[in-house]
Amino acid sequence: MEEFLSSCSRAVKVDLDQAGSGFHVVLGNEACDMDSMVCALTYAYFLSKTGHSEMLALPLLNIRQSDLVLRSDSIFLLREVALSPDLLLFRDQLDLQALHRAGRLRLTLVDHNVLPSSDSELEGAVVEVIDHRLLEREPSPSCSVTVETVGSCATLVAECIIQKAPEILDQQVAQLLYAAVVVDCVNMAPSAGKVTPKDSRLAAELESRFPALPPRDALFQTLQDAKFDVSGLNTEQMLLKDMKAVNERLNVAISVLYITLKDFLQRAELEAELSGFCLKFGYDLLLLMTISYSESKQPIRELAVFSHSATCRQQVILHLEQARNPDLNLCPISSPRPHVTAYQQGNTLASRKKLLPIVKEFLRERDGDCCLGDGRLGDVEEDEEEDSQFPPTPMNSLVEGCPLDDGLPHISAQDLEEKFSNMADRRGN
């Protein structure tokens, strides 16, 4: 695998500006979670070894290179199988649109079956789809489709490799596939509602072929610990790590945080950082869902609402408190931050997937008269992953090349509060 990835990197650097034969890119989804990454790597490797494409097959991670730091579990897995993250290729390193316009691109989609609107131009390049979600794309004689609602897309890739080219399976490739299946299927536990008989069969076959694979329970636990490890991340990275956005007249971001709310609210300069985050990305409200675990491994959920507009904050918290489908069972707790309202969430089964419809209902009902900022992001493609106790890492975008990279002027929380208040007044008028 190392040699294959190195050759892909070299080919991109050498051939990108030349009129070569082009690339057969295996592209995962914009969430680029572990399943998506593993499927892109292993299926591109399969194509390269079996000669199924006359173009050079290469895996492309559907995020910017700078975003990889947010995928701590994927980084951990790569290191466990002795693959350097430096060998990977990322979306900002290859201009797919330019390649397509030049007739030098073929696309295989793994772990998704339709392109987002931002990539609609690339639809004519799609020649194959492998996915474990419900089929959304229109049938086409030019595109081979393998879609089956199993727990992990890696199950389908592993099945393909075992059936068509079992000789290319080695310990490294098998461990990548095995880890993705175990994580997506929540350690193969039937109670989680993820695993299917095919997932179990493929996992057992990998275990049989490679007895040196890590024990299932230990593998799952170490990858879970890695996913929840936010040490070393700044506030912006923590917010982006697992975030979904709802963009209406009022733009709302919902971030899942893998620490206690108490620990997060005690971070230095937190309100200024939250204000800067909302200004930078164009959000008017920020919902923070924390998840942690008790000593007995029981989930603990907390919820917080941030906005410098007291009116907007009160409107959304009233709607959340009165929600009944589901009832979040919110109990107010003290917050050291004046613009953050905090709750203990008694309904620990109400994950972000359950919160999103409540937020959308709130946005439909409100009159839209208290938006705070003029800045707006484009629509964020929402990843409709099935929910689990380990939410998928959604698509993010870190801004590069900012003119202020050499330093920011000092802005106090009071300055930001005054700016927000002025903006809210202008909107009201």
Side-chain angles (χ1 to χ4, degrees):
M1 178 71 81
E2 299 96 323
E3 183 180 347
F4 164 64
L5 294 177
S6 295
S7 66
C8 290
S9 183
R10 288 194 302 269
V12 168
K13 292 176 182 177
V14 172
D15 295 341
L16 196 55
D17 297 323
Q18 300 177 6
S21 60
F23 301 101
H24 186 154
V25 173
V26 182
L27 184 69
N29 63 46
E30 293 173 296
C32 197
D33 60 1
M34 183 186 298
D35 192 32
S36 186
M37 179 194 73
V38 166
C39 289
L41 293 176
T42 54
Y43 196 69
Y45 183 67
F46 162 78
L47 292 177
S48 73
K49 290 294 185 181
T50 56
H52 277 63
S53 175
E54 63 273 18
M55 290 181 170
L56 174 66
L58 61 86
L60 191 68
L61 272 64
N62 205 356
I63 53 171
R64 295 182 179 187
Q65 187 175 20
S66 58
D67 289 353
L68 184 62
V69 66
L70 306 178
R71 278 62 174 180
S72 50
D73 52 346
S74 294
I75 293 174
F76 180 88
L77 175 61
L78 289 170
R79 290 174 176 161
E80 284 292 292
V81 299
L83 284 176
S84 169
D86 295 336
L87 296 173
L88 304 179
L89 290 170
F90 298 86
R91 185 63 189 266
D92 54 339
Q93 295 175 315
L94 198 60
D95 189 340
L96 296 184
Q97 280 79 6
L99 286 172
H100 181 46
R101 288 191 293 268
R104 300 178 58 202
L105 178 68
R106 286 189 179 181
L107 271 179
T108 288
L109 306 183
V110 291
D111 205 21
H112 59 152
N113 62 77
V114 291
L115 289 166
S117 57
S118 56
D119 282 336
S120 58
E121 178 187 342
L122 303 176
E123 182 57 44
V126 179
V127 296
E128 186 175 13
V129 164
I130 302 174
D131 193 19
H132 65 130
R133 295 170 181 78
L134 294 174
L135 182 63
E136 297 180 68
R137 70 181 298 108
E138 296 296 325
S140 167
S142 62
C143 179
S144 169
V145 174
T146 301
V147 169
E148 187 174 347
T149 53
V150 292
S152 171
C153 188
T155 293
L156 303 178
V157 174
E159 181 181 48
C160 174
I161 293 175
I162 290 173
Q163 288 180 351
K164 298 179 180 180
E167 68 279 0
I168 75 168
L169 268 180
D170 57 19
Q171 177 74 25
Q172 191 178 54
V173 174
Q175 189 164 332
L176 286 170
L177 292 165
Y178 184 65
V181 174
V182 168
V183 167
D184 259 26
C185 295
V186 195
N187 202 21
M188 321 307 287
S191 59
K194 295 287 186 177
V195 65
T196 69
K198 179 171 284 191
D199 297 301
S200 297
R201 178 172 60 80
L202 267 296
E205 187 158 356
L206 290 172
E207 290 168 341
S208 175
R209 288 172 177 266
F210 298 93
L213 285 172
R216 185 183 295 178
D217 290 346
L219 176 64
F220 180 74
Q221 187 62 51
T222 56
L223 290 171
Q224 175 190 349
D225 292 343
K227 182 178 179 67
F228 284 78
D229 181 12
V230 295
S231 59
L233 297 185
N234 60 35
T235 299
E236 179 178 300
Q237 291 171 329
M238 291 179 67
L239 294 172
L240 288 171
K241 179 177 172 66
D242 200 343
M243 186 190 80
K244 288 186 186 292
V246 183
N247 290 348
E248 302 291 346
R249 292 187 64 184
L250 192 73
N251 286 350
V252 181
I254 308 174
S255 292
V256 176
L257 305 174
Y258 299 114
I259 60 174
T260 65
L261 190 56
K262 178 181 178 181
D263 287 343
F264 184 73
L265 293 179
Q266 289 177 346
R267 294 173 71 90
E269 304 296 328
L270 179 68
E271 283 217 12
E273 291 176 328
L274 295 178
S275 297
F277 181 86
C278 290
L279 284 172
K280 180 176 180 178
F281 295 104
Y283 294 120
D284 305 305
L285 279 169
L286 183 58
L287 302 185
L288 310 171
M289 294 193 79
T290 72
I291 181 167
S292 55
Y293 289 88
S294 66
E295 292 183 0
S296 60
K297 303 298 183 182
Q298 294 302 307
I300 300 171
R301 289 192 184 272
E302 297 162 303
L303 181 65
V305 181
F306 168 79
S307 175
H308 275 289
S309 166
T311 302
C312 286
R313 195 166 63 251
Q314 287 299 322
Q315 285 179 342
V316 73
I317 63 177
L318 180 63
H319 192 88
L320 295 174
E321 288 175 350
Q322 294 178 346
R324 293 296 177 265
N325 188 26
D327 186 344
L328 300 176
N329 192 12
L330 297 178
C331 178
I333 56 178
S334 63
S335 168
R337 307 294 179 177
H339 299 97
V340 177
T341 303
Y343 295 93
Q344 184 80 34
Q345 183 180 311
N347 183 357
T348 58
L349 296 178
S351 61
R352 182 176 54 198
K353 185 177 181 181
K354 306 296 191 302
L355 180 66
L356 273 167
I358 299 175
V359 173
K360 291 178 180 178
E361 181 184 43
F362 161 72
L363 293 175
R364 286 194 299 268
E365 291 180 359
R366 67 178 304 277
D367 59 8
D369 63 356
C370 63
C371 296
L372 302 181
D374 293 320
R376 288 291 181 265
L377 291 180
D379 290 343
V380 176
E381 292 293 334
E382 197 173 296
D383 182 4
E384 296 294 347
E385 290 273 4
E386 285 186 298
D387 185 48
S388 73
Q389 66 186 100
F390 309 104
T393 306
M395 140 189 155
N396 299 303
S397 177
L398 297 178
V399 175
E400 294 180 338
C402 175
L404 299 179
D405 279 346
D406 293 330
L408 288 167
H410 176 71
I411 302 175
S412 68
Q414 183 176 358
D415 294 333
L416 288 167
E417 180 177 354
E418 183 177 350
K419 181 175 179 64
F420 270 107
S421 298
N422 290 338
M423 293 167 68
D425 291 341
R426 288 199 300 271
R427 282 297 180 90
N429 294 330

